[in-house]
Amino acid sequence: MAGTRLKFSSTAAAAALAAVALTSLGAGTANAAAWPPLREGAYLYSGTHGTGKEFRVDLDDVGTCHTLSTPPRSLQIVSGSGSLVLYPGADCTGASSWASGSLAQSDLPWAARSYRVVPA
């Protein structure tokens, strides 16, 4: 009888976890609606979730460091060939950097002061 109870408890726990996961997915989907529509290229935004001032990145300018007057807080990139590395300091400096990947829609961990395009 103890085995039956244990099996039931495991099944109930799995069902509860599935419900939490589905609820989380629903919240993420609603949150994603705030972003601008996906489009080819790379864009930096001064606000979170793709809001605020938009800055288009030239993905063909590989390797050049760019310092920004308005630090971005989020980015959106759709590219098969390039990605971004963002830095907290001007002139691509700082204690750490953050890499985007070639398909991303993300809030940055900190306001970026500079970036460079790198091959994906």
Side-chain angles (χ1 to χ4, degrees):
M1 192 155 188
T4 304
R5 283 187 190 166
L6 181 58
K7 185 175 181 181
F8 177 74
S9 295
S10 298
T11 303
L17 286 175
V20 168
L22 289 173
T23 302
S24 297
L25 285 175
T29 302
N31 197 18
W35 284 88
L38 284 177
R39 56 193 166 167
E40 185 75 26
Y43 303 87
L44 299 171
Y45 300 93
S46 62
T48 58
H49 291 55
T51 61
K53 182 178 178 182
E54 178 184 273
F55 176 77
R56 184 178 168 93
V57 173
D58 179 3
L59 289 172
D60 293 326
D61 192 9
V62 177
T64 304
C65 179
H66 297 274
T67 298
L68 302 162
S69 59
T70 303
R73 294 295 313 193
S74 59
L75 69 77
Q76 179 173 282
I77 182 168
V78 177
S79 169
S81 61
S83 62
L84 300 177
V85 178
L86 294 107
Y87 302 87
D91 301 319
C92 296
T93 62
S96 60
S97 60
W98 188 88
S100 71
S102 61
L103 178 60
Q105 191 176 55
S106 182
D107 288 336
L108 301 175
W110 26 255
R113 296 288 304 153
S114 57
Y115 74 92
R116 75 177 74 233
V117 176
V118 295

